[in-house]
Amino acid sequence: MVDFERMSNLRRRSFMAKATITNRWKNGICPFVVVFGASGVGKTSIIHQLLNKPWPSEHKPTVEDMYSYNYDESGSKIQINILDTSGQDEYPAMRRVAIQKADIFILIFSIDSEESFQRVSTIRDSILEIQNTEEQDMVPIVIVGNKCELEESRQVSKAITESIVTMDWQHGFIEVSAKDRINIRQIFTTALSQADICHSVKNAEEQRRTSLPVQSNYSKSSNLLIQKRNSCKT
């Protein structure tokens, strides 16, 4: 028998968790985004492409690097802090602290490595455990399949993975190419949307626009056909 009361309570907690992130952002606390994934999947390359930094000439294992990025949404700037993490298992204490402090998670795998997707699944389980949540969609998570330019070497089915991520896990999903700079910004758009921040920014911008005085253009032309014709030219 379906426990509708429990489902309702969990959904309420999910809404409150996301509202907390949004309220922190409104109070000037930058959203803290943590990027996880196996070594070599392209975590640092994706961040460098977002920040217009030089493409890494060679792979250098990351321990932890922090970046700051001003994300533009509807003309409003959102500063987000991005933590690039190690792809190795050598720093479990650092990983645990990052999970405890994070607002949003971006988990990256490579489409040419089934093992890297299994690593994402393991990290996701750790996030849900450490954040101690019963409802998986309470945690804003985006699963990212990098290296989509390597279609001929694909080991991870897009259709199956997207179904698992969006239907079973209820997270955001996107495939990208750091090398060809495909869908890089959309990763962070999806991430902020998972936390309802983009929605809040759009609402705030819409409220600002509707609060402005309305100026009539009628005096510019008394002929409605001319007005219509001019509008079609723009």
Side-chain angles (χ1 to χ4, degrees):
M1 184 175 180
V2 179
D3 189 341
F4 290 103
E5 182 177 356
R6 178 177 178 276
M7 290 176 62
S8 177
N9 289 336
L10 289 174
R11 291 299 178 186
R12 190 179 299 112
R13 286 175 56 195
S14 175
F15 174 79
M16 291 174 64
K18 293 178 180 179
T20 299
I21 298 173
T22 302
N23 288 334
R24 289 180 61 198
W25 161 69
K26 289 180 177 178
N27 291 327
I29 301 175
C30 302
F32 182 31
V33 180
V34 176
V35 181
F36 284 121
S39 180
V41 296
K43 301 184 299 295
T44 302
S45 297
I46 285 173
I47 295 172
H48 279 209
Q49 289 287 41
L50 177 74
L51 302 177
N52 294 315
K53 287 180 171 288
W55 178 262
S57 58
E58 60 184 69
H59 176 250
K60 296 180 180 179
T62 301
V63 177
E64 270 194 355
D65 289 321
M66 181 72 79
Y67 302 88
S68 181
Y69 175 63
N70 285 320
Y71 178 90
D72 191 314
E73 174 62 42
S74 302
S76 298
K77 299 287 186 180
I78 306 172
Q79 182 177 333
I80 58 177
N81 293 325
I82 305 169
L83 181 66
D84 186 11
T85 63
S86 171
Q88 308 294 334
D89 291 324
E90 301 173 5
Y91 311 99
M94 295 172 68
R95 182 170 62 248
R96 186 176 186 87
V97 171
I99 291 173
Q100 290 171 336
K101 292 184 176 182
D103 296 312
I104 303 167
F105 298 92
I106 296 174
L107 310 185
I108 300 175
F109 68 94
S110 177
I111 71 161
D112 65 342
S113 169
E114 185 176 350
E115 183 180 351
S116 69
F117 180 75
Q118 295 301 326
R119 179 64 182 276
V120 158
S121 179
T122 301
I123 295 171
R124 173 186 172 273
D125 290 342
S126 297
I127 291 170
L128 297 181
E129 179 184 351
I130 292 171
Q131 294 226 342
N132 192 26
T133 177
E134 297 180 67
E135 188 74 351
Q136 53 198 11
D137 73 345
M138 289 176 62
V139 184
I141 297 176
V142 179
I143 310 296
V144 178
N146 188 29
K147 306 185 183 181
C148 68
E149 77 278 3
L150 301 178
E151 184 62 38
E152 294 182 356
S153 304
R154 178 185 289 274
Q155 293 184 10
V156 184
S157 166
K158 180 178 181 180
I160 295 174
T161 305
E162 187 169 16
S163 175
I164 292 171
V165 172
T166 60
M167 301 297 291
D168 298 341
W169 294 354
Q170 300 178 49
H171 301 321
F173 173 77
I174 187 170
E175 286 199 347
V176 308
S177 171
K179 180 177 180 292
D180 294 337
R181 204 168 189 173
I182 297 171
N183 290 338
I184 299 301
R185 190 176 186 276
Q186 282 83 340
I187 297 173
F188 296 87
T189 300
T190 305
L192 294 174
S193 295
Q194 285 282 305
D196 286 344
I197 292 178
C198 282
H199 179 70
S200 299
V201 171
K202 289 177 181 177
N203 282 348
E205 182 65 17
E206 183 62 27
Q207 290 176 4
R208 185 190 71 82
R209 289 174 179 171
T210 55
S211 67
L212 296 174
V214 178
Q215 296 181 352
S216 173
N217 291 325
Y218 182 81
S219 60
K220 296 181 180 179
S221 174
S222 60
N223 190 317
L224 294 179
L225 290 176
I226 295 176
Q227 290 185 23
K228 182 65 174 179
R229 190 179 301 118
N230 290 340
S231 69
C232 291
K233 292 179 181 180
T234 59

